[in-house]
Short mmCIF file of all heavy atoms in Angstrom, two decimals:
data_model
loop_
_atom_site.label_atom_id
_atom_site.label_comp_id
_atom_site.label_asym_id
_atom_site.label_seq_id
_atom_site.Cartn_x
_atom_site.Cartn_y
_atom_site.Cartn_z
N GLU A 88 -57.43 86.82 54.33
CA GLU A 88 -56.05 86.44 54.51
C GLU A 88 -55.62 85.96 55.73
O GLU A 88 -54.58 85.43 56.03
CB GLU A 88 -54.98 87.52 53.97
CG GLU A 88 -55.01 88.70 54.95
CD GLU A 88 -53.94 89.66 54.36
OE1 GLU A 88 -54.32 90.51 53.58
OE2 GLU A 88 -52.74 89.52 54.85
N SER A 89 -56.46 86.06 56.87
CA SER A 89 -56.24 85.66 58.12
C SER A 89 -56.25 84.05 58.15
O SER A 89 -55.74 83.49 59.18
CB SER A 89 -57.11 86.22 59.12
OG SER A 89 -58.48 85.71 58.81
N GLN A 90 -56.78 83.35 57.23
CA GLN A 90 -56.90 82.02 57.20
C GLN A 90 -55.72 81.24 56.30
O GLN A 90 -55.74 80.10 56.27
CB GLN A 90 -58.19 81.48 56.61
CG GLN A 90 -59.45 82.07 57.29
CD GLN A 90 -59.53 81.33 58.70
OE1 GLN A 90 -59.13 80.20 58.90
NE2 GLN A 90 -59.85 82.17 59.69
N LEU A 91 -54.74 82.10 55.95
CA LEU A 91 -53.74 81.58 55.11
C LEU A 91 -52.70 80.78 55.84
O LEU A 91 -52.38 81.09 56.98
CB LEU A 91 -52.90 82.78 54.26
CG LEU A 91 -53.66 83.32 53.18
CD1 LEU A 91 -52.88 84.46 52.49
CD2 LEU A 91 -53.90 82.22 52.06
N VAL A 92 -52.18 79.74 55.27
CA VAL A 92 -51.08 78.93 55.83
C VAL A 92 -50.07 78.71 54.87
O VAL A 92 -50.33 78.67 53.65
CB VAL A 92 -51.85 77.55 56.30
CG1 VAL A 92 -50.83 76.51 56.79
CG2 VAL A 92 -52.96 77.74 57.34
N VAL A 93 -48.80 78.57 55.37
CA VAL A 93 -47.71 78.07 54.53
C VAL A 93 -47.85 76.69 54.12
O VAL A 93 -47.52 75.85 54.96
CB VAL A 93 -46.36 78.56 55.13
CG1 VAL A 93 -45.30 78.08 54.18
CG2 VAL A 93 -46.26 80.01 55.47
N LYS A 94 -48.44 76.39 53.07
CA LYS A 94 -48.68 75.01 52.71
C LYS A 94 -47.46 74.19 52.41
O LYS A 94 -47.24 73.06 52.97
CB LYS A 94 -49.68 75.00 51.50
CG LYS A 94 -50.13 73.54 51.05
CD LYS A 94 -51.00 73.72 49.92
CE LYS A 94 -51.41 72.35 49.28
NZ LYS A 94 -52.32 72.50 48.12
N THR A 95 -46.62 74.73 51.53
CA THR A 95 -45.40 74.02 51.12
C THR A 95 -44.17 74.93 51.01
O THR A 95 -44.44 76.12 50.60
CB THR A 95 -45.69 73.41 49.72
OG1 THR A 95 -46.84 72.63 49.76
CG2 THR A 95 -44.49 72.59 49.36
N VAL A 96 -43.15 74.73 51.49
CA VAL A 96 -41.87 75.28 51.29
C VAL A 96 -40.85 74.30 50.90
O VAL A 96 -40.64 73.30 51.55
CB VAL A 96 -41.36 76.00 52.51
CG1 VAL A 96 -40.06 76.86 52.40
CG2 VAL A 96 -42.44 77.02 53.09
N PHE A 97 -40.15 74.52 49.69
CA PHE A 97 -39.11 73.68 49.38
C PHE A 97 -37.91 74.39 48.84
O PHE A 97 -38.05 75.45 48.25
CB PHE A 97 -39.53 72.47 48.59
CG PHE A 97 -40.10 72.74 47.32
CD1 PHE A 97 -39.31 72.93 46.15
CD2 PHE A 97 -41.45 72.75 47.22
CE1 PHE A 97 -40.01 73.19 45.03
CE2 PHE A 97 -42.09 73.09 46.03
CZ PHE A 97 -41.41 73.35 44.82
N VAL A 98 -36.73 73.88 49.31
CA VAL A 98 -35.35 74.52 48.87
C VAL A 98 -34.62 73.57 47.97
O VAL A 98 -34.37 72.30 48.33
CB VAL A 98 -34.61 74.92 50.02
CG1 VAL A 98 -33.34 75.56 49.70
CG2 VAL A 98 -35.47 75.74 51.02
N ASP A 99 -34.24 73.95 46.75
CA ASP A 99 -33.52 73.18 45.85
C ASP A 99 -32.14 73.81 45.58
O ASP A 99 -32.04 75.12 45.70
CB ASP A 99 -34.21 73.10 44.42
CG ASP A 99 -35.59 72.39 44.54
OD1 ASP A 99 -35.65 71.42 45.38
OD2 ASP A 99 -36.49 72.68 43.91
N GLY A 100 -31.21 73.02 45.32
CA GLY A 100 -29.83 73.55 45.02
C GLY A 100 -29.98 74.26 43.64
O GLY A 100 -30.64 73.90 42.67
N ALA A 101 -29.09 75.33 43.55
CA ALA A 101 -29.03 75.99 42.20
C ALA A 101 -27.57 75.95 41.77
O ALA A 101 -26.89 75.01 42.16
CB ALA A 101 -29.33 77.50 42.47
N ARG A 102 -27.19 76.97 40.97
CA ARG A 102 -25.75 76.84 40.48
C ARG A 102 -24.77 77.00 41.47
O ARG A 102 -24.91 77.52 42.55
CB ARG A 102 -25.59 78.05 39.42
CG ARG A 102 -25.62 79.36 40.15
CD ARG A 102 -25.33 80.49 39.12
NE ARG A 102 -25.42 81.76 39.96
CZ ARG A 102 -25.62 82.89 39.57
NH1 ARG A 102 -25.89 83.08 38.26
NH2 ARG A 102 -25.53 83.86 40.42
N THR A 103 -23.57 76.32 41.31
CA THR A 103 -22.48 76.40 42.31
C THR A 103 -21.37 77.19 41.54
O THR A 103 -20.93 76.55 40.48
CB THR A 103 -22.10 75.03 42.68
OG1 THR A 103 -23.18 74.33 43.25
CG2 THR A 103 -20.93 75.13 43.63
N LEU A 104 -20.88 78.16 42.10
CA LEU A 104 -19.61 78.75 41.53
C LEU A 104 -18.38 78.19 42.13
O LEU A 104 -18.27 78.02 43.36
CB LEU A 104 -19.71 80.34 41.84
CG LEU A 104 -20.90 81.19 41.46
CD1 LEU A 104 -20.74 82.56 41.99
CD2 LEU A 104 -20.92 81.13 40.03
N LYS A 105 -17.48 77.77 41.25
CA LYS A 105 -16.32 77.12 41.65
C LYS A 105 -15.17 78.09 41.68
O LYS A 105 -14.85 78.64 40.64
CB LYS A 105 -16.05 75.97 40.81
CG LYS A 105 -17.14 74.79 41.00
CD LYS A 105 -17.00 73.74 39.95
CE LYS A 105 -18.10 72.73 40.15
NZ LYS A 105 -19.34 73.13 39.61
N ARG A 106 -14.57 78.29 42.87
CA ARG A 106 -13.48 79.17 42.96
C ARG A 106 -12.20 78.42 43.50
O ARG A 106 -12.35 77.34 44.16
CB ARG A 106 -13.76 80.36 43.85
CG ARG A 106 -14.95 81.14 43.40
CD ARG A 106 -14.54 82.04 42.17
NE ARG A 106 -15.69 82.85 41.65
CZ ARG A 106 -16.47 82.54 40.70
NH1 ARG A 106 -16.30 81.52 40.02
NH2 ARG A 106 -17.36 83.39 40.36
N MET A 107 -10.95 79.03 43.21
CA MET A 107 -9.76 78.41 43.80
C MET A 107 -9.26 79.23 44.79
O MET A 107 -9.20 80.50 44.81
CB MET A 107 -8.81 78.12 42.67
CG MET A 107 -9.19 77.28 41.52
SD MET A 107 -9.55 75.48 42.14
CE MET A 107 -7.97 74.94 42.44
N ARG A 108 -8.70 78.59 45.92
CA ARG A 108 -8.06 79.23 47.08
C ARG A 108 -6.65 78.77 47.14
O ARG A 108 -6.46 77.44 47.07
CB ARG A 108 -8.81 78.92 48.34
CG ARG A 108 -8.04 79.53 49.56
CD ARG A 108 -8.92 79.40 50.81
NE ARG A 108 -9.95 80.52 50.60
CZ ARG A 108 -11.12 80.53 51.31
NH1 ARG A 108 -11.43 79.55 52.16
NH2 ARG A 108 -12.03 81.54 51.16
N PRO A 109 -5.65 79.68 47.30
CA PRO A 109 -4.25 79.23 47.37
C PRO A 109 -3.97 78.26 48.57
O PRO A 109 -4.57 78.44 49.65
CB PRO A 109 -3.46 80.48 47.56
CG PRO A 109 -4.42 81.58 47.13
CD PRO A 109 -5.74 81.02 47.28
N ALA A 110 -3.18 77.20 48.35
CA ALA A 110 -3.05 76.31 49.46
C ALA A 110 -1.52 76.09 49.50
O ALA A 110 -0.73 76.53 48.69
CB ALA A 110 -3.69 74.98 49.11
N PRO A 111 -1.08 75.39 50.55
CA PRO A 111 0.38 75.11 50.73
C PRO A 111 1.15 74.40 49.61
O PRO A 111 0.49 73.58 49.07
CB PRO A 111 0.48 74.44 52.01
CG PRO A 111 -0.76 74.59 52.83
CD PRO A 111 -1.79 74.92 51.63
N GLN A 112 2.33 74.72 49.41
CA GLN A 112 3.16 73.96 48.41
C GLN A 112 2.70 74.02 46.99
O GLN A 112 2.72 73.13 46.26
CB GLN A 112 3.35 72.59 48.94
CG GLN A 112 3.96 72.44 50.23
CD GLN A 112 4.11 70.96 50.65
OE1 GLN A 112 3.75 69.97 50.03
NE2 GLN A 112 4.68 70.76 51.94
N GLY A 113 2.13 75.24 46.65
CA GLY A 113 1.78 75.44 45.20
C GLY A 113 0.50 74.87 44.87
O GLY A 113 0.16 74.86 43.64
N ARG A 114 -0.21 74.25 45.75
CA ARG A 114 -1.61 73.63 45.38
C ARG A 114 -2.67 74.66 45.49
O ARG A 114 -2.54 75.85 45.91
CB ARG A 114 -1.76 72.48 46.36
CG ARG A 114 -0.99 71.31 46.09
CD ARG A 114 -1.35 70.17 46.98
NE ARG A 114 -1.39 70.44 48.40
CZ ARG A 114 -0.60 69.95 49.28
NH1 ARG A 114 0.43 69.12 48.81
NH2 ARG A 114 -0.50 70.21 50.57
N GLY A 115 -3.84 74.23 45.02
CA GLY A 115 -5.09 75.18 45.17
C GLY A 115 -6.12 74.26 45.66
O GLY A 115 -6.49 73.18 45.23
N TYR A 116 -6.99 74.80 46.67
CA TYR A 116 -8.13 74.16 47.12
C TYR A 116 -9.38 74.77 46.40
O TYR A 116 -9.49 76.03 46.09
CB TYR A 116 -8.33 74.39 48.63
CG TYR A 116 -7.27 73.71 49.56
CD1 TYR A 116 -6.97 74.22 50.85
CD2 TYR A 116 -6.57 72.56 49.12
CE1 TYR A 116 -6.11 73.67 51.63
CE2 TYR A 116 -5.66 71.94 49.95
CZ TYR A 116 -5.42 72.44 51.11
OH TYR A 116 -4.58 71.88 52.00
N ARG A 117 -10.25 73.81 46.10
CA ARG A 117 -11.55 74.28 45.44
C ARG A 117 -12.51 74.83 46.49
O ARG A 117 -12.78 74.11 47.50
CB ARG A 117 -12.03 73.22 44.57
CG ARG A 117 -13.44 73.68 44.03
CD ARG A 117 -13.98 72.59 43.07
NE ARG A 117 -13.14 72.36 41.92
CZ ARG A 117 -13.11 71.25 41.20
NH1 ARG A 117 -13.84 70.22 41.42
NH2 ARG A 117 -12.33 71.17 40.20
N VAL A 118 -13.00 75.93 46.22
CA VAL A 118 -14.08 76.60 47.11
C VAL A 118 -15.34 76.53 46.27
O VAL A 118 -15.42 77.13 45.10
CB VAL A 118 -13.83 77.96 47.51
CG1 VAL A 118 -14.90 78.60 48.35
CG2 VAL A 118 -12.37 77.99 48.33
N ARG A 119 -16.43 75.91 46.87
CA ARG A 119 -17.70 75.83 46.10
C ARG A 119 -18.66 76.82 46.79
O ARG A 119 -19.07 76.66 47.91
CB ARG A 119 -18.29 74.39 46.18
CG ARG A 119 -17.33 73.47 45.30
CD ARG A 119 -18.07 72.09 45.33
NE ARG A 119 -18.11 71.48 46.58
CZ ARG A 119 -17.21 70.93 47.24
NH1 ARG A 119 -16.03 70.72 46.62
NH2 ARG A 119 -17.37 70.30 48.44
N LYS A 120 -19.01 77.85 46.00
CA LYS A 120 -19.95 78.83 46.61
C LYS A 120 -21.30 78.55 46.01
O LYS A 120 -21.67 78.64 44.93
CB LYS A 120 -19.57 80.34 46.08
CG LYS A 120 -18.21 80.69 46.56
CD LYS A 120 -18.00 82.15 46.22
CE LYS A 120 -16.66 82.53 46.77
NZ LYS A 120 -16.61 84.02 47.00
N ARG A 121 -22.14 78.06 46.97
CA ARG A 121 -23.52 77.48 46.58
C ARG A 121 -24.55 78.45 46.59
O ARG A 121 -24.43 79.52 47.25
CB ARG A 121 -23.76 76.31 47.55
CG ARG A 121 -22.68 75.14 47.61
CD ARG A 121 -23.14 74.19 48.70
NE ARG A 121 -22.00 73.18 48.63
CZ ARG A 121 -22.01 72.03 47.89
NH1 ARG A 121 -22.72 71.82 47.01
NH2 ARG A 121 -20.98 71.33 48.13
N SER A 122 -25.50 78.12 45.90
CA SER A 122 -26.84 79.00 45.82
C SER A 122 -28.02 78.13 45.77
O SER A 122 -27.85 76.89 45.68
CB SER A 122 -26.81 80.08 44.72
OG SER A 122 -26.66 79.34 43.50
N ASN A 123 -29.22 78.72 45.95
CA ASN A 123 -30.40 77.79 46.03
C ASN A 123 -31.64 78.50 45.36
O ASN A 123 -31.64 79.76 45.13
CB ASN A 123 -30.65 77.45 47.52
CG ASN A 123 -30.99 78.60 48.33
OD1 ASN A 123 -31.92 79.52 48.09
ND2 ASN A 123 -30.28 78.84 49.41
N HIS A 124 -32.61 77.65 45.15
CA HIS A 124 -33.99 78.11 44.64
C HIS A 124 -34.98 77.77 45.70
O HIS A 124 -34.79 76.71 46.31
CB HIS A 124 -34.41 77.40 43.48
CG HIS A 124 -33.43 77.53 42.20
ND1 HIS A 124 -33.03 78.67 41.81
CD2 HIS A 124 -33.11 76.64 41.46
CE1 HIS A 124 -32.33 78.52 40.77
NE2 HIS A 124 -32.23 77.17 40.48
N VAL A 125 -35.86 78.79 46.08
CA VAL A 125 -36.88 78.50 47.10
C VAL A 125 -38.15 78.76 46.53
O VAL A 125 -38.46 79.66 45.68
CB VAL A 125 -36.62 79.43 48.24
CG1 VAL A 125 -37.67 79.20 49.48
CG2 VAL A 125 -35.33 79.43 48.80
N THR A 126 -39.06 77.79 46.83
CA THR A 126 -40.62 77.97 46.47
C THR A 126 -41.51 77.91 47.65
O THR A 126 -41.18 77.01 48.42
CB THR A 126 -40.92 76.83 45.52
OG1 THR A 126 -39.88 76.87 44.24
CG2 THR A 126 -42.26 77.02 44.87
N VAL A 127 -42.37 78.96 47.66
CA VAL A 127 -43.27 78.95 48.86
C VAL A 127 -44.69 79.02 48.30
O VAL A 127 -44.89 79.67 47.30
CB VAL A 127 -43.07 80.31 49.61
CG1 VAL A 127 -44.15 80.43 50.64
CG2 VAL A 127 -41.70 80.28 50.35
N ILE A 128 -45.59 78.04 48.83
CA ILE A 128 -46.96 78.02 48.35
C ILE A 128 -47.78 78.19 49.57
O ILE A 128 -47.66 77.54 50.53
CB ILE A 128 -47.24 76.67 47.78
CG1 ILE A 128 -46.28 76.27 46.61
CG2 ILE A 128 -48.70 76.40 47.32
CD1 ILE A 128 -46.49 74.94 46.17
#
Side-chain angles (χ1 to χ4, degrees):
E88 71 177 86
S89 65
Q90 299 295 321
L91 280 180
V92 173
V93 178
K94 181 179 175 184
T95 309
V96 180
F97 55 91
V98 180
D99 297 323
R102 66 175 184 209
T103 300
L104 301 175
K105 295 171 179 81
R106 300 290 183 255
M107 295 301 286
R108 172 167 289 159
Q112 299 180 358
R114 290 188 299 252
Y116 291 156
R117 180 177 290 160
V118 176
R119 292 184 299 274
K120 297 187 175 203
R121 300 177 189 272
S122 58
N123 62 57
H124 300 313
V125 185
T126 304
V127 174
I128 300 174

